[in-house]
Amino acid sequence: MNLKKTNSNLTVFREGVRDGVPIGLGYFAVAFSLGILARTAHFTPLQGFINSFLNRASAGEYAVYTVVAAGAGFVEMAIMTLVVNARYLLMSTALSQKFDPKTPLIHRMLVGFSVTDEIFAITINRPGFINPIYNYGACAIAVPCWALGTSCGIVAGELMPLRVVSAFSVALYGMFLACIMPEARKHRIVAVLIIISFVLSYLASRLDVFASISAGTKTIILTVVIAAVAAILFPHPMEEDDD
């Protein structure tokens, strides 16, 4: 019985590794450009590696490197990182609804700690309850690639033109589209909500009434409003565990 469970967990772990490979490759390219920015903030390769290992968010890291370069204090840095990364609280809350009630707290915490946009997308699309082993497999590839990408970008420094390196950031948008498009093709409501989110995001960036609100705060507000309205008007039916 234990051998069967071990083999099952190994299979799930391999599935996570498989799905984590394309994410890791995209992460490396995006983190490389962030490493160039980290170099201007006088981060060492080791510091960049640790920061990226613990903070796997392009917007969050960009905020950190920007405020550090500007000479901001630790409190301002912490608040900025919290605000920019607040959407991960929403993602973790959504994932918490898909856990088996018997899942230990330590696994819930580790899965929550490992949440990124792409990891969330591949996890939420799996049928049935969340198996933390799957997330561990995906993170075993994605997280080191993100951290190594930052370190390599810092090492590269000014050896490459900034415009050339920043072009790698396009990979993040392509990777995110690859995560949301399959779901949008299966569910018309999701496709409509995606289009609405694009339109509202554009309007929020152009209207003067939102000019005093930071981009991160705008994202948080739009995420909460759109998700709440969608949940009320179009509730998703509970999925039964196949086991």
Side-chain angles (χ1 to χ4, degrees):
M1 185 69 177
N2 290 336
L3 180 60
K4 182 179 179 180
K5 183 176 181 180
T6 300
N7 291 336
S8 176
N9 286 337
L10 183 58
T11 299
V12 173
F13 184 84
R14 288 174 176 172
E15 292 175 354
V17 170
R18 177 200 62 198
D19 294 343
V21 168
I23 294 177
L25 294 176
Y27 277 2
F28 184 89
V30 176
F32 189 90
S33 62
L34 283 172
I36 300 295
L37 179 62
R39 177 66 178 268
T40 64
H42 306 293
F43 275 69
T44 67
L46 179 59
Q47 291 172 334
F49 182 92
I50 295 174
N51 183 52
S52 290
F53 190 87
L54 298 177
N55 181 24
R56 298 167 304 283
S58 56
E61 287 198 42
Y62 181 86
V64 169
Y65 299 142
T66 301
V67 297
V68 170
F74 290 114
V75 174
E76 183 178 354
M77 188 192 315
I79 294 175
M80 176 66 72
T81 303
L82 177 63
V83 170
V84 174
N85 292 341
R87 68 184 186 278
Y88 294 121
L89 296 175
L90 304 177
M91 295 182 189
S92 298
T93 301
L95 289 180
S96 68
Q97 307 303 309
K98 292 198 65 176
F99 275 110
D100 186 324
K102 298 179 181 179
T103 302
L105 178 62
I106 183 63
H107 285 304
R108 295 172 182 264
M109 294 177 64
L110 290 175
V111 170
F113 176 74
S114 66
V115 167
T116 66
D117 296 323
E118 294 72 30
I119 298 296
F120 171 81
I122 63 175
T123 302
I124 204 71
N125 284 330
R126 285 176 65 86
F129 290 126
I130 291 176
N131 188 336
I133 303 300
Y134 174 81
N135 291 71
Y136 301 156
C139 291
I141 298 295
V143 174
C145 285
W146 181 259
L148 286 172
T150 304
S151 293
C152 290
I154 295 175
V155 172
E158 298 179 355
L159 296 180
M160 297 174 60
L162 183 58
R163 291 183 179 179
V164 174
V165 178
S166 62
F168 286 128
S169 62
V170 176
L172 182 63
Y173 300 102
M175 180 171 47
F176 187 70
L177 286 175
C179 290
I180 64 175
M181 290 310 296
E183 192 69 15
R185 293 178 63 182
K186 289 191 299 182
H187 304 287
R188 184 176 299 178
I189 295 299
V190 175
V192 172
L193 290 174
I194 291 174
I195 295 174
I196 291 175
S197 67
F198 287 163
V199 173
L200 293 181
S201 179
Y202 175 78
L203 292 177
S205 66
R206 294 296 181 180
L207 296 178
D208 293 337
V209 67
F210 298 109
S212 61
I213 303 177
S214 67
T217 303
K218 292 176 186 176
T219 300
I220 295 171
I221 294 175
L222 288 175
T223 300
V224 172
V225 172
I226 295 174
V229 172
I232 295 173
L233 298 181
F234 312 103
H236 194 282
M238 290 292 293
E239 294 183 0
E240 297 294 336
D241 187 15
D242 295 338
D243 297 336

